[in-house]
Amino acid sequence: MTESIRRPAGELEAAVLSALWAADGPLTPPEVQLALGGPLARTTVATILARLHDKGTVRRIRSGRAYAYSPAVEDHAALAAHRMHSELDKEADRPGVLARFVSRLSTDDEALLRDLLRRAHGSGEPG
């Protein structure tokens, strides 16, 4: 692959996830490659799928001698939430991480978070 057509890994991962979200069922690496179009090698697609599996964002099942992949997260919002949980799980000081996160929220995001937490705890009363 030449340098002029290289894309960042995050962009490739997003493209692969989009192809899986659009599919009617699990896809093999060659099927994902076909869905993506373009010059990506099958081995590149297989590597991206393996990385996504390692991160827990896709599931895989045996399909002959290879694997077929399906998304383990429903959409972009679920993917972002998965990443946030993964980052939080890496840190020993969870209260410190959460406190810093919350302290940097905008006023609107803080109000939204409060409302979501209230709903999650069953009061259901708005803000």
Side-chain angles (χ1 to χ4, degrees), residues 21-96:
W21 283 325
D24 290 332
L27 299 177
T28 63
E31 292 168 332
V32 172
Q33 180 188 23
L34 183 64
L36 293 174
L40 287 179
R42 185 196 55 76
T43 54
T44 301
V45 173
T47 298
I48 296 297
L49 287 164
R51 287 181 184 158
L52 289 169
H53 180 261
D54 290 345
K55 293 176 182 180
T57 54
V58 299
R59 295 182 201 90
R60 67 182 182 193
I61 57 170
R62 275 280 177 203
S63 177
R65 293 180 7 184
Y67 289 104
Y69 295 84
S70 60
V73 293
E74 305 83 45
D75 53 27
H76 290 285
L79 176 61
H82 176 82
R83 288 178 178 157
M84 292 167 67
H85 280 284
S86 293
E87 288 301 314
L88 185 58
D89 289 344
K90 292 177 188 175
E91 296 298 325
D93 183 15
R94 291 176 75 93

Side-chain angles (χ1 to χ4, degrees), residues 5 9 15-16 20 23 31 40 47 54 61 64 67 77-78 97 112 119 123:
I5 59 173
V16 167
L20 292 174
E31 292 168 332
L40 287 179
T47 298
D54 290 345
I61 57 170
Y67 289 104
V97 172
L112 176 59
R119 289 180 195 187
S123 82

Side-chain angles (χ1 to χ4, degrees), residues 92-126:
D93 183 15
R94 291 176 75 93
V97 172
L98 287 169
R100 287 180 190 253
F101 176 76
V102 169
S103 72
R104 293 188 179 143
L105 290 175
S106 70
T107 303
D108 289 344
D109 285 343
E110 182 181 342
L112 176 59
L113 182 58
R114 287 181 188 279
D115 186 46
L116 291 169
L117 287 170
R118 201 172 1 266
R119 289 180 195 187
H121 293 297
S123 82
E125 295 176 21

